[in-house]
Amino acid sequence: MPNAATISKRISKPHLEVQGNYALSGELKVSGAKNSALVLMAASLLTEEKLLLENVPQLTDIEGMSEILLTMGVNLRQEKDELHIQAADLHHVELPYELVHGLRASFFCIGPLLARLGRAKIPLPGGCEIGARPVLEHIKGLKALGAYINVEHGVVTASVPGTQKRLKGTDVVLDCPSVGATETILMAAVLAEGQSSIENAAQEPEIQDLAKLLNCMGANISGAGGPKITIKGVKQLHGCNYTVMPDRIEAGTFLIAAAITRSKLNVAPVIPEHLNAVLQKLRDCGCDLQINEDGIEITPGEIEGVDITTQPFPGFPTDLQAPFMALMATAKGTSVITEKIYENRMKHVPELQRMGASIRLQGNTAVIEGVPQLSAAPVSGGDLRSTAAMVLASLSAQGVSKVEGLTHLDRGYAALEEKLNQAGARILRY
Ligand code: EPZ
């Protein structure tokens, strides 16, 4: 029979206690981009020389990726936001399922391992809270480059035939502009024999960051950031020092934090062209944005409902759909938000409804009628970005909210409550 102790233990999951309805002020500092740093860490496998990555965010996903590289024999140490990596003698090219399932980016090691060693054995990452997340485009691209790929028992076993064990350059056309598939094929092609191209490539800024790092290591890539990337294979790559770009999704989350609390804030550093679709929607819904030397100053006016449909870059990013919906829940009038990238990324809707939001969900389309004020409640996030959305909603709600889902949150936001409290929020972590 459960007793009071076991019941209270079950109830007291790690959570944030957020006192809502306080304006913020000053500046919110943006860390390095998680979704760039993770793939740049995978790219370190392409050379035996030293790589120094700077502006690496301190996140549990980065720790997870470090663990994975260490199991392969990579020499790695993190000093604050600097990551020293050297894949001099890779010895273990089979990754454990538990590590890969928990961190999809680890699957992106398959391209560099094939290019460097000619073999790799990586579990299929499997689905996650937001969708099935297949990797067929990754596998199709690697096969086109000449790799033998066998998928059974949930494991992808890949090898490069021939004495040279060198992939052969070729032209690949993606069925969908997959970020991960573009990155996997790019990293496999840089050491292939001859020229390759990727058409219908993902155009996200993280692809440009990866191409810049690879070119800094001696690769020959052009067109990254556009729909067609061309790669001239080279024999080997060397080490280099590289600074990770600022996290556009964290920056967008902070801009929405300013808008939802109706606070004038500076968010920095930001590369505005990484967020044009989001900046446009913030202006459309009533925010004034001033772009300064390294950031953006946002001054919210009366927030009105606007419609959003998530798209591949340069469209509105799926990773800011949940945070933006929290804002729309407090806007004047109606907004329609449609999720087109993932099949199951509306987990924040019932949680926002618990806070008094008026939302009707039909499949992956939400119709939101803004309310004057949300009311604080105990809520939880089902994935990284929906948990961030619940923190934003709590900042504007009347009363004290309890937000669970910190294991999700800490994957993608470094010291979120410290940053928000330094700008005037009142958040405690338990
Ligand atoms: C990256 O995931 C990001 N993760 C995601 O961020 C982000 O949401 C996504 O890109 C889209 O921008 C990292 O970079 C580590 P995709 P990725 O391959 O590469 C379908 C976050 O919150 N697809 O572009 O896995 C897939 O099912 C995370 O930081 C195929 O159909 O994204 C999805 O519906 C969440 N076949 C869509 O494409 C494939 O072979 C986008 O996936 C590959 C993908």
Side-chain angles (χ1 to χ4, degrees), residues 34-36 38-39 61 103-105 108 128 130-139 176-183 202 204 206 248-249 311-313 317-319 340-343 345 383-385 412:
K34 163 179 88 86
N35 289 345
S36 176
L38 289 170
V39 73
D61 267 11
L103 179 59
R104 179 181 181 75
F108 303 169
C128 69
I130 59 179
R133 305 190 75 180
V135 289
L136 295 180
E137 292 302 300
H138 302 239
I139 290 170
C176 64
S178 155
V179 173
T182 303
E183 293 167 340
E204 273 71 2
E206 290 76 19
R248 62 193 172 98
I249 303 301
Q311 305 277 355
F313 194 89
T318 174
D319 293 349
K340 287 267 193 192
I341 303 294
Y342 290 109
E343 59 269 35
R345 202 170 202 178
D383 66 83
L384 162 54
R385 306 303 175 181

Side-chain angles (χ1 to χ4, degrees), residues 8 20 25-26 74 95 133 140 179 193 216 241-242 255 263 311 323 360 415 418 422 428:
S8 67
S25 63
V74 174
L95 296 185
R133 305 190 75 180
K140 201 175 78 173
V179 173
E193 187 182 346
C216 169
N241 294 1
Y242 191 79
L255 289 167
S263 312
Q311 305 277 355
R360 269 183 304 110
E418 276 92 332
Q422 170 272 326
L428 295 172

Side-chain angles (χ1 to χ4, degrees), residues 24-69:
L24 306 181
S25 63
E27 176 162 286
L28 286 174
K29 186 161 172 14
V30 181
S31 302
K34 163 179 88 86
N35 289 345
S36 176
L38 289 170
V39 73
L40 302 188
M41 290 170 76
S44 70
L45 297 169
L46 287 163
T47 179
E48 58 187 24
E49 295 186 14
K50 280 185 184 149
L51 217 58
L52 167 58
L53 297 179
E54 297 178 281
N55 197 33
V56 175
Q58 296 172 61
L59 300 167
T60 53
D61 267 11
I62 299 292
E63 289 163 16
M65 192 62 159
S66 299
E67 270 171 36
I68 285 166
L69 294 179

